[in-house]
Amino acid sequence: GWVSRWWQTPPEQVPRPYAVPPYIAEYELRMLQSGVQPFRPPVLRRGYVPDTAGLYEECAQMMPWRQAVFRKRNYQTGEVTVTSIASSRQDSSYPGLHTGIPRLDAALERLRKDFDVRDPRAYLLNNWYPDGNTSIAPHNHDFWSAIISFGAPRVFLLDGQPILLGSGDLLVFGTQRHSVPKM
């Protein structure tokens, strides 16, 4: 197969698989050349945040939510265009991994240590799905991601495979395609 054929070949000489967008292949090669392993196989840790009672409500009240808008990516160049088209969800973001919400910050610090997050540009993006009609379309990131779920159980799709995330569950993954479908 493909893997056994290219296993011993230096990464810069391996042809890009058809299903991998060029911008992701370029990003991963830059990371390898910098001495950082870009690939992360999925890791699911059920109940990673053990005491979530009231944490969903606390985040819903304290985070600076704003109307999320659709973003469009050019899959050849990786360039992202932010549109003015409103999404069904809301989002908020924080530079770094600190929110001012003590229990969430403790979970983020644990995640930083457990997964060796050393990137000084790491940031937190929060998506709020207030009901089962709120969703996000399939997309890829050119970096790995960590999802901590709070509130009611929700289906998350990772490379088309459904994973039911419960409150306090953690899912870490690489550049795999992912989404949150309507329920």
Side-chain angles (χ1 to χ4, degrees):
W2 193 92
V3 171
S4 60
R5 179 176 180 194
W6 298 104
W7 189 254
Q8 299 297 324
T9 306
E12 58 276 357
Q13 295 176 12
V14 175
R16 178 182 57 83
Y18 174 77
V20 176
Y23 74 95
I24 289 180
E26 291 166 10
Y27 162 80
E28 292 191 352
L29 186 56
R30 280 194 315 273
M31 296 302 290
L32 286 170
Q33 291 166 343
S34 300
V36 175
Q37 177 56 255
F39 178 77
R40 271 212 191 252
V43 174
L44 175 60
R45 295 204 181 156
R46 299 278 184 202
Y48 185 78
V49 180
D51 177 21
T52 63
L55 190 51
Y56 171 86
E57 292 80 6
E58 192 174 352
C59 290
Q61 290 175 358
M62 295 184 67
M63 289 185 170
W65 299 108
R66 65 180 179 220
Q67 178 62 57
V69 294
F70 286 104
R71 293 168 173 81
K72 294 184 179 183
R73 182 181 293 274
N74 177 319
Y75 283 98
Q76 294 301 310
T77 66
E79 181 180 339
V80 175
T81 302
V82 178
T83 73
S84 59
I85 303 168
S87 168
S88 61
R89 65 187 168 81
Q90 294 185 37
D91 66 20
S92 69
S93 62
Y94 295 87
L97 300 178
H98 181 78
T99 66
I101 302 171
R103 289 192 299 157
L104 179 56
D105 289 346
L108 294 170
E109 179 59 19
R110 178 178 169 209
L111 183 143
R112 189 190 64 74
K113 288 178 182 174
D114 289 353
F115 289 89
D116 195 27
V117 178
R118 292 176 281 153
D119 186 346
R121 296 171 300 171
Y123 66 96
L124 183 64
L125 175 64
N126 310 288
N127 289 308
W128 185 17
Y129 305 93
D131 59 41
N133 291 318
T134 310
S135 63
I136 191 166
H139 62 285
N140 298 68
H141 298 162
D142 50 0
F143 46 82
W144 67 270
S145 301
I147 306 291
I148 301 176
S149 184
F150 298 115
R154 190 70 195 256
V155 172
F156 185 90
L157 295 177
L158 184 64
D159 277 342
Q161 299 299 309
I163 302 167
L164 184 63
L165 295 178
S167 196
D169 289 350
L170 168 70
L171 177 62
V172 177
F173 57 94
T175 57
Q176 294 94 329
R177 196 160 180 77
H178 59 282
S179 64
V180 176
K182 290 183 179 182
M183 292 184 64

